[in-house]
Amino acid sequence: MKAESLPEAMRAWTTDSETGPDGLVLRNRSLPVYGPTDLLVRVRATALNRADLLQSFGKYPAPPGAPKEILGLEFAGEIAAVGRQVVSARIGDRVMGLVGGGAWAEFVATPETEAVVIPQGLSFADAAAIPEAFLTSWDALVTQAGIGTGSAVLIHAVGGGIGTAALQVVAALGGVALGTARSSARLDFARGLGLAQAIAIDEDPPKFAARVHELVPGGVQCALELVGGRYVNETLQTLAPGGTLMLLGLLDGRSAHIDLGTILGKHLRILGSTLRQRSLEGRRALATTLRDEIAPRLASRAFRAVVGAVHPFEDAPKVLAGMGRNAQFGKSVLTL
């Protein structure tokens, strides 16, 4: 396909005031520079992540090599141009993927090795909601925790983007998912995605370990800790001997008081994980997982995107502010 005529500039949501969503400005910026092995993608949809909210407050700077002021970690769109050494990608191909930043713009540049063809029948809006949530879940549950058939997994914030993806990963691998949330509506929806046991959190500080042991005598093999803070010590109590706590989020804060004796006595592991700071090799490995493990399950409908709402690109600050109030269910998506 012949290269499309490219504009001289693009619109992009930028942040440089560190004042949160109210400080976002929609500016004209030069198109990203793409190298000989890179693709230039016309973004049709992008999704919101808590990293975007943190970056808007100056608390999560972009990694080296990523645009420092343009938000956005995941994209879905059409290839608009290719570098001279690109092997198989073609102009017009529909692709999705992760970037260290810069996806809240009309164009984004990415290495060919890190872009994945969107399965047929999947919309741009749905595709934009896939990479961060499903790769975070697969990497934590499969690559690091090694769950498999029969594994019991506790998932906090089960109604969010990562929570709804993790449910589907656990179900696909033959595991048993337990989930927590403070909203009964979120728990009800999560049951339709494979949630075996729903646990409502209605106490402060949160209490749920006793209920987990009632449902799974002996404890769970893995817990996805998406909340942090006061949840951490209670989550440790839910683990079976030799279990793994995967720390993925800090919604309740960066500090926690934990019983170290529990860790020693039960031979527990605590692992932390983010995708944004991965090395080049790590990013390529994630793209391989997206291509070989997740995309085929999307094509077969074993996995599906959970999009809570789709918004115009121009509404990004308002939608991001809603994320700060934990107003979103599933993933929030912006379309261009």
Side-chain angles (χ1 to χ4, degrees), residues 112-150:
E112 180 186 19
T113 54
E114 296 176 31
V116 176
V117 173
I118 297 172
Q120 189 172 3
L122 198 68
S123 70
F124 286 126
D126 283 350
I130 293 296
E132 180 77 14
F134 277 88
L135 283 174
T136 296
S137 300
W138 188 280
D139 180 72
L141 292 167
V142 183
T143 306
Q144 299 196 54
I147 72 160
T149 302

Side-chain angles (χ1 to χ4, degrees), residues 165-201:
L167 276 176
Q168 297 178 66
V169 171
V170 172
L173 296 174
V176 178
L178 295 78
T180 72
R182 291 186 178 271
S183 162
S184 58
R186 294 190 177 204
L187 292 172
D188 289 342
F189 183 86
R191 288 187 178 94
L193 296 172
L195 181 64
Q197 298 290 348
I199 302 171
I201 303 295

Side-chain angles (χ1 to χ4, degrees), residues 177-239:
L178 295 78
T180 72
R182 291 186 178 271
S183 162
S184 58
R186 294 190 177 204
L187 292 172
D188 289 342
F189 183 86
R191 288 187 178 94
L193 296 172
L195 181 64
Q197 298 290 348
I199 302 171
I201 303 295
D202 53 11
E203 295 179 86
D204 198 7
K207 297 294 182 183
F208 47 84
R211 180 58 177 157
V212 169
H213 282 280
E214 289 176 6
L215 297 169
V216 183
V220 297
Q221 282 71 54
C222 178
L224 290 192
E225 181 52 88
L226 297 159
V227 184
R230 294 166 299 169
Y231 276 62
V232 175
N233 195 59
E234 187 79 0
T235 301
L236 287 173
Q237 309 306 316
T238 70
L239 291 170

